[in-house]
């Protein structure tokens, strides 16, 4: 079942949290040991009151240590796989974002966006940005995509993924990449890269 847990660290008063604009950080996994930088990033959102939205909680026993709000997406992290692959792609044919959320997940995202009203959504990895983008567009919430590694290297050989990026790149408010060589890769595959900006590893969320 979907859940939200509100937690605030000692460094932040409730009044201060209410005064700051809200922001979502969306990633496939939470508390994954190999992605500890994601935790550092959400902790660094001093200008925003952050909510970490994720599909998989890799260490739920550590959830009590969080100093941010959380929402766990009550759908499978893998989308459009197996026998449902072509059904999902048929549903996405109208807008051409083959990585967009399923109908049920789209409705869930829209409902939670209306509840939380974040000022911005920071999506970790390109495929996560594509997945949440339809709901954010429908609710008028800008999406900043942060690209990292395989989502801007080997995944670009996937025509479904690259086609989605080509169609959706200009619908993102901004896209952050680590180096200019990544922008070159995108442009070679026909992805418009005018809104791609170079940023620090993990992004600057302060």
């Amino acid at each position: 079942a979907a859940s939200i847990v509100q937690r605030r660290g000692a460094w932040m008063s409730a009044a201060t949290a209410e005064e700051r604009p809200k922001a979502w950080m969306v990633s496939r996994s939470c508390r994954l040991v190999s992605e500890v930088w994601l935790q550092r990033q959400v902790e660094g959102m001093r200008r925003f009151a952050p909510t970490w939205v994720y599909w998989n909680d890799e260490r739920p026993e550590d959830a009590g240590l969080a100093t941010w709000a959380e929402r766990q997406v009550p759908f499978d992290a893998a989308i459009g796989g197996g026998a449902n692959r072509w059904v999902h792609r048929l549903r996405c044919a109208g807008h051409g974002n083959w990585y967009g959320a399923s109908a049920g997940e789209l409705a869930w995202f829209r409902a939670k966006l209306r509840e939380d009203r974040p000022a911005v959504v920071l999506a970790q990895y390109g495929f996560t940005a594509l997945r949440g983008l339809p709901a954010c567009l429908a609710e008028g919430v800008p999406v900043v995509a942060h690209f990292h590694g395989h989502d801007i290297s080997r995944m670009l050989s996937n025509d479904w993924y690259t086609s989605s990026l080509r169609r959706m790149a200009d619908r993102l408010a901004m896209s952050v990449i680590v180096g200019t060589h990544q922008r070159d890769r995108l442009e070679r595959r026909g992805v418009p890269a005018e809104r791609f900006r170079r940023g620090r590893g993990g992004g600057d969320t302060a």
Side-chain angles (χ1 to χ4, degrees), residues 99 150-163 165 185 189:
Y99 280 73
H150 67 285
D151 60 329
I152 204 166
S153 55
R154 69 174 184 268
M155 280 193 70
L156 292 179
S157 63
N158 182 321
D159 290 339
W160 297 99
Y161 178 67
T162 305
S163 174
L165 286 180
R185 289 177 190 164
R189 287 162 177 80

Side-chain angles (χ1 to χ4, degrees), residues 159-194:
D159 290 339
W160 297 99
Y161 178 67
T162 305
S163 174
S164 299
L165 286 180
R166 279 198 297 265
R167 290 172 180 260
M168 297 293 120
D170 63 351
R171 309 298 298 276
L172 296 167
M174 183 184 294
S175 296
V176 180
I177 54 177
V178 177
T180 55
H181 63 287
Q182 295 176 330
R183 184 185 292 116
D184 295 339
R185 289 177 190 164
L186 291 165
E187 291 179 333
R188 284 198 298 269
R189 287 162 177 80
V191 179
E194 293 85 0

Side-chain angles (χ1 to χ4, degrees), residues 39 53 99:
Q39 181 170 324
V53 181
Y99 280 73

Side-chain angles (χ1 to χ4, degrees), residues 48-64:
F48 296 93
T51 296
W52 193 344
V53 181
Y54 55 84
W55 284 261
N56 298 329
D57 191 346
E58 303 298 335
R59 290 187 294 167
E61 66 274 13
D62 291 343

Side-chain angles (χ1 to χ4, degrees), residues 25 35-42 44 122 124-125 146-149 176-179 181-182 197-206:
M25 187 182 80
E35 293 182 341
V36 68
W37 50 269
L38 285 179
Q39 181 170 324
R40 290 197 297 266
Q41 190 165 14
V42 74
L122 172 63
Q124 302 291 354
Y125 295 96
H146 191 257
F147 292 81
H148 296 279
V176 180
I177 54 177
V178 177
H181 63 287
Q182 295 176 330
R197 300 290 183 268
R198 184 177 178 181
R200 298 183 300 178
D204 185 357
T205 57

Side-chain angles (χ1 to χ4, degrees), residues 14-180:
T16 302
E18 289 299 321
E19 292 168 359
R20 297 183 302 163
K22 296 179 180 179
W24 275 16
M25 187 182 80
V26 185
S27 63
R28 182 165 180 164
S29 297
C30 176
R31 287 180 277 273
L32 185 63
V33 174
S34 62
E35 293 182 341
V36 68
W37 50 269
L38 285 179
Q39 181 170 324
R40 290 197 297 266
Q41 190 165 14
V42 74
E43 287 173 340
M45 289 185 173
R46 304 296 186 181
R47 298 179 187 174
F48 296 93
T51 296
W52 193 344
V53 181
Y54 55 84
W55 284 261
N56 298 329
D57 191 346
E58 303 298 335
R59 290 187 294 167
E61 66 274 13
D62 291 343
L65 302 176
T67 58
W68 51 83
E70 296 183 1
R71 282 194 183 275
Q72 185 164 13
V73 183
F75 292 86
D76 196 328
I79 188 171
N84 295 324
R85 177 177 55 186
W86 294 107
V87 173
H88 177 72
R89 288 176 179 173
L90 181 63
R91 289 173 177 164
C92 295
H95 51 69
N97 178 5
W98 311 108
Y99 280 73
S102 64
E105 190 175 68
L106 176 64
W108 183 89
F109 267 110
R110 292 192 64 179
K112 301 312 174 188
L113 285 167
R114 287 194 293 270
E115 286 182 23
D116 289 0
R117 281 298 164 197
V120 65
V121 169
L122 172 63
Q124 302 291 354
Y125 295 96
F127 48 83
T128 306
L130 291 172
R131 189 161 178 174
L133 185 60
C136 291
L137 289 174
E139 297 300 325
V141 181
V143 177
V144 175
H146 191 257
F147 292 81
H148 296 279
H150 67 285
D151 60 329
I152 204 166
S153 55
R154 69 174 184 268
M155 280 193 70
L156 292 179
S157 63
N158 182 321
D159 290 339
W160 297 99
Y161 178 67
T162 305
S163 174
S164 299
L165 286 180
R166 279 198 297 265
R167 290 172 180 260
M168 297 293 120
D170 63 351
R171 309 298 298 276
L172 296 167
M174 183 184 294
S175 296
V176 180
I177 54 177
V178 177
T180 55

